[in-house]
Amino acid sequence: MRVGLKHLRTHRSLLLAGVGACLLGAGAAQAQDAPPAPVDDGLDDRALYLDAAEVARVGDRLEASREAGDRLFARFQNHSLWTRRLTYDLATGIATAQGEVELTAPDGVTVFADYLELTDGAGTGVAVNLATRQEDGSSLMAATAVRRSETVNELNYAVFTPCPICDEEGRPKEPTISIQAQRVIQDESLRAVLYRNAVFKVKGVPVLFLPFFAHPDPTVDRASGFLVPEIGFDQERGLSWEQPYLIVVSPSEDWLISPQFNSEVEPLLNLQWRRRFSGGTVVARGGYTHARNFGDFDSDDDGVDDAPRPLDREHRSYLLASGAFDPAGPWRWGFTAERTSDKTLFDRYDVRDPYADNGLYHGDERRLISQVYAERQTPRSYLSFATFAIQSLRVTQFNDTAPGLNVFESDGALPVAAPLVEARWEPGRPVFGGRLRLTGSAVALYRDDFTGAPVLRPEVLPAGTGSAEGVDSRRATGRAEWRRTLISDAGVRWEPFVDARVDLYSIADLPVPGLESDQTVTRGRATAGLDVSWPLIRPLTGGADLILEPLGQISASTDADLDPRIPNEDSQVLDLDGSTLFRIDRFPGEDLYEGGLRATGGARATLRWSEDRQASLFIGRSWRSDAEPGLLTASGDDPSVLYDATGLAGTTSDWVVQGTFEPHDGVRAWGRATLDDSGEVRRAEAAVEGRWGRRSGGSMIYVMDDSNPVEGPLNRNYAFVEASVQQFVAGNWGIASSGVYDLDRDLFVRSEVGLLFDDDCVRFEIGFRRDNTRVRPSGASEGAYVRLTLATFGGTG
């Protein structure tokens, strides 16, 4: 039936949370499944929908009940109410519900009670034997609850827990942690929950009593207050305690003050400011200390630290800021500002995540990038402008005896890009039945310090360049590419393509007599070719499928003009795999490219024996009519020695092998490698990851690069194994271990092992870790670690 009501109002919820199918506390009603209410029920603010066995009006009172079977159902103001008996006084505006009361607000928050009383218009109410659960899983039970106003709720003899109060079968269980208090006040204006005479319990056992306690209201996204501290130990810093404090200025702005106190060295003050604007967000992190340098500076290894070092305290700081703005329309813009006063400040104080990827361009590992950029994108075009500078924190020469004396890469040896422009445009209609794409790019690079190989070729590296100036270069590139896709009746895919490009270079300050003045280099290349693939599928017994796909490409280009005066700024590293092998330009940048007659072939086989179980293998390589010595790389340790770092300089490329293996829903493996003609692996990467049970799992990754045959301090060959495992052995108790092993140095670079407890509410870890990272000025470091994460309250990371 439909009944008109006068100014019927309800509140969002009596309290801050909700409860599920099981409840704690005497007299708490049991929940029952109910169909979700529609988003738009068609009722206005003064209307009530009521489904009850009996409805009667006695004077100014409406009385409805359903004693047997399902409870009566009422719907009003987007709220849903289930109860045994419902009374509404038209004169006073007071509604009361008795017996297995369940009230669901529009946002899904549900209140359970034995008795619930709501006043009309005032936004106040009373509940008896109340229990609620919030969407984050936190629960609150109380003997009585009173809603004093629109923003203040008061509970008596209450229990709060951020942990589940039901097991997987819906039966009540003791929460891992809980807070029991004589009185609890939720003040929404303060965005806090206040406790009087609070008793903290772990598995029901009292462990702490506080006459007063407060924490942020779980119904708000964030609130000012202390966060969980991070505690650690370092051999140089000693005992470390970092205590973050969050200050919420507004829903769109906050500050995080996080001082780090150390027992052996001066403290470090960390700050973070975040502000969300209508069209974007700005995040700025910074740190400051006034301290002496510390580390291992003793190079004679006689047990006595007698090396000279800075003894005076100095101002040391860092800044990590970024902003990204994406207003309505095709344009967006942003910036990053990343700088530090010390090359090892992040390592000495264990600053968290200093190398995050922000902005349009990302710095490599241990390189900070400061940039300003703007870009415009539509479905058929793209345009970007950027300028950036890089600060390097990389070590070029390690001192294993005294890591504090490591030699770092010079910032002046890295280029400043001002500007860097990229553009792309495609017409709205096909051109000769295919897709036409026009692209262009331009960049100007400036260096203060001289840098040699592999940026410069041996032809422009005469002896005695130590005092030479940095080489500046400017480049503009234009390109047109046309490609069309045709599929024959037999399923063969034919893709003819045509590509043309032209480059203009201007190079200054080359360290060769006669080339000091500006040098202008122009070059171009035209390419025509055809891609062919023919996927074949064969059903097998048992519902499995075998897919075989041969792939081929043939292309003819004008000869490549690899002028030795052109610096190699953007094509020093090539990631050759199954996708890049068939590209017209396999290098990531524009400074190096290929020409001549080329043929590329490969095959991919995929076996699928269920929806999520499959294995695949790809093998391919490329052939060239003539070798290309211009693609050889000069060694940084001996520029007179050239080697094929890319695997493309000869008449045949390296073999490319890659595959995947997914035998089970919880197991996945993949790998790829490049091999030369002798079968030697030049580069390889492989990984396997799996999970078993509900929370146990592990992974292992192997990476290696053996492409540089020249030994020396600038040789960057490497081989690492990284592994991690988490195994629960008894209920919520388990062990966790991780490590990175350097196969060349035959030691663990980083490793840790510890004991953990995790019950989806509390995660606690304690263990031992060791850091042998060579860049640390203090050398190897080891010590205990403690990590704690609490549901609702946050964690240490």
Side-chain angles (χ1 to χ4, degrees), residues 736-782:
S737 179
S738 64
V740 178
Y741 190 79
D742 188 335
L743 297 174
D744 291 335
R745 297 169 60 196
D746 193 23
L747 58 79
F748 278 98
V749 179
R750 290 189 300 270
S751 59
E752 66 179 42
V753 60
L755 180 69
L756 70 90
F757 174 86
D758 188 348
D759 68 347
D760 298 328
C761 170
V762 177
R763 183 179 177 92
F764 175 76
E765 293 181 70
I766 184 171
F768 176 84
R769 65 182 176 187
R770 180 176 176 84
D771 191 334
N772 283 317
T773 307
R774 301 171 74 188
V775 74
R776 290 179 60 92
S778 57
S781 174
E782 59 185 26

Side-chain angles (χ1 to χ4, degrees), residues 608-767:
R608 297 176 179 171
W609 59 92
S610 71
E611 183 176 353
D612 55 358
R613 300 182 182 185
Q614 64 179 6
S616 67
L617 176 66
F618 171 84
I619 300 177
R621 79 179 312 185
S622 181
W623 295 264
R624 184 197 310 278
S625 58
D626 299 302
E628 183 51 78
L631 297 179
L632 295 174
T633 301
S635 168
D637 294 293
D638 187 356
S640 64
V641 178
L642 302 179
Y643 67 98
D644 186 5
T646 63
L648 298 175
T651 56
T652 59
S653 73
D654 287 344
W655 284 100
V656 176
V657 180
Q658 65 184 60
T660 62
F661 184 48
E662 300 179 37
H664 190 269
D665 181 40
V667 179
R668 179 177 181 270
W670 60 269
R672 61 181 181 177
T674 57
L675 299 83
D676 60 20
D677 287 330
S678 65
E680 294 290 331
V681 178
R682 293 161 54 88
R683 292 186 179 91
E685 188 174 3
V688 59
E689 57 185 19
R691 63 180 187 274
W692 49 92
R694 188 170 67 91
R695 293 174 295 175
S696 298
S699 66
M700 178 176 292
I701 300 175
Y702 168 75
V703 292
M704 63 86 68
D705 186 335
D706 199 27
S707 60
N708 188 351
V710 183
E711 296 294 335
L714 299 182
N715 187 302
R716 287 295 182 259
N717 290 349
Y718 56 82
F720 288 94
V721 174
E722 181 176 354
S724 63
V725 64
Q726 175 177 284
Q727 175 64 54
F728 286 86
V729 295
N732 295 318
W733 291 92
I735 57 174
S737 179
S738 64
V740 178
Y741 190 79
D742 188 335
L743 297 174
D744 291 335
R745 297 169 60 196
D746 193 23
L747 58 79
F748 278 98
V749 179
R750 290 189 300 270
S751 59
E752 66 179 42
V753 60
L755 180 69
L756 70 90
F757 174 86
D758 188 348
D759 68 347
D760 298 328
C761 170
V762 177
R763 183 179 177 92
F764 175 76
E765 293 181 70
I766 184 171

Side-chain angles (χ1 to χ4, degrees), residues 403-448:
L405 302 179
N406 287 339
V407 178
F408 287 84
E409 184 178 33
S410 170
D411 296 340
L414 299 176
V416 174
L420 173 58
V421 183
E422 294 183 333
R424 182 185 70 250
W425 178 82
E426 296 180 10
R429 297 180 179 179
V431 178
F432 298 111
R435 185 204 67 193
L436 175 65
R437 173 176 292 178
L438 304 179
T439 60
S441 63
V443 63
L445 302 176
Y446 304 92
R447 276 188 172 88
D448 292 331

Side-chain angles (χ1 to χ4, degrees), residues 3-14:
V3 182
L5 296 180
K6 178 183 179 181
H7 305 297
L8 177 62
R9 293 185 182 180
T10 61
H11 55 284
R12 173 177 176 270
S13 169
L14 274 177

Side-chain angles (χ1 to χ4, degrees), residues 111-266:
V111 174
F112 297 85
D114 283 351
Y115 174 86
L116 183 64
E117 178 182 298
L118 307 175
T119 61
D120 180 21
T124 60
V126 176
V128 177
N129 289 339
L130 176 136
T132 66
R133 185 176 66 185
Q134 186 66 14
E135 292 181 355
D136 64 0
S138 59
S139 302
L140 184 61
M141 290 71 67
T144 61
V146 180
R147 186 169 178 84
R148 298 294 185 186
S149 66
E150 292 285 352
T151 60
V152 177
N153 301 315
E154 180 181 316
L155 297 90
N156 298 298
Y157 302 101
V159 176
F160 170 79
T161 176
C163 305
I165 58 176
C166 311
D167 60 18
E168 296 180 354
E169 299 180 358
R171 296 172 301 189
K173 72 171 186 178
E174 189 74 45
T176 305
I177 58 173
S178 62
I179 307 174
Q180 178 178 315
Q182 180 180 0
R183 178 174 296 180
V184 178
I185 297 177
Q186 177 200 22
D187 193 326
E188 297 178 6
S189 62
L190 295 178
R191 300 195 295 182
V193 180
L194 312 175
Y195 296 80
R196 179 176 297 177
N197 295 330
V199 178
F200 292 78
K201 295 184 177 181
V202 177
K203 285 295 183 180
V205 179
V207 295
L208 178 65
F209 169 79
L210 292 176
F212 177 82
F213 176 71
H215 66 74
D217 186 349
T219 61
V220 300
D221 292 335
R222 64 196 195 284
S224 300
F226 288 101
L227 305 182
V228 178
E230 183 172 353
I231 305 171
F233 178 81
D234 181 85
Q235 289 181 320
E236 291 290 335
R237 301 198 319 270
L239 182 63
S240 177
W241 178 293
E242 186 169 339
Q243 179 60 68
Y245 184 84
L246 180 65
I247 302 176
V248 178
V249 180
S250 69
S252 60
E253 182 181 4
D254 62 34
W255 286 84
L256 183 65
I257 304 175
S258 185
Q260 181 190 100
F261 302 98
N262 306 285
S263 62
E264 301 298 328
V265 299
E266 290 82 351

Side-chain angles (χ1 to χ4, degrees), residues 462-542:
T465 58
S467 60
E469 297 181 0
V471 176
D472 301 332
S473 64
R474 292 158 291 277
R475 174 188 57 80
T477 297
R479 184 169 187 166
E481 178 188 359
W482 176 88
R483 180 180 291 268
R484 182 178 181 180
T485 301
L486 303 171
I487 300 178
S488 69
D489 294 338
V492 181
R493 184 185 181 96
W494 307 84
E495 291 192 10
F497 59 85
V498 177
D499 179 90
R501 61 175 284 177
V502 60
D503 301 325
L504 174 63
Y505 281 87
S506 176
I507 305 107
D509 299 324
L510 286 170
V512 178
L515 299 180
E516 297 92 342
S517 59
D518 289 359
Q519 302 292 308
T520 301
V521 179
T522 59
R523 65 184 187 183
R525 185 201 62 188
T527 302
L530 178 68
D531 282 324
V532 182
S533 62
W534 193 10
L536 304 170
I537 182 170
R538 179 177 180 178
L540 303 177
T541 58

